[in-house]
Amino acid sequence: MNREVTLPLIVDDQGTLHVAASDVSKLLRTVGGRWLRLVEAGDEGLDEDTVAALTIELAKLADRIDVACIAHSSGAP
């Protein structure tokens, strides 16, 4: 299960690299989901508790990114 994930990257006139926040949060959730599927498939190299904890933290980070974007787009302080 070796798949590549691509993100659209945008470089502005000052050379600053930009990635859509929705793509970042989706990537975080995708990585966690793939780890979980590997554990469920019996991958001996992965500790189930560690994968679960890391997946939860990635989902929390993705949620914080989404909430910040919603707040920003709605004009909330």
Side-chain angles (χ1 to χ4, degrees):
M1 183 193 315
N2 189 11
R3 296 184 186 136
E4 289 186 28
V5 176
T6 59
L7 294 174
L9 304 177
I10 301 166
V11 179
D12 64 18
D13 294 339
Q14 289 77 38
T16 303
L17 185 63
H18 299 271
V19 178
S22 61
D23 290 334
V24 174
S25 61
K26 181 179 177 182
L27 173 66
L28 294 172
R29 288 186 178 91
T30 299
V31 168
R34 288 186 182 172
W35 286 344
L36 288 175
R37 284 191 294 281
L38 288 171
V39 168
E40 290 169 357
D43 189 316
E44 297 291 327
L46 297 173
D47 177 70
E48 185 175 347
D49 292 335
T50 302
V51 168
L54 289 171
T55 300
I56 289 168
E57 292 306 314
L58 288 176
K60 286 179 185 178
L61 178 56
D63 289 344
R64 288 197 321 259
I65 291 169
D66 292 343
V67 167
C69 289
I70 291 167
H72 176 76
S73 66
S74 67

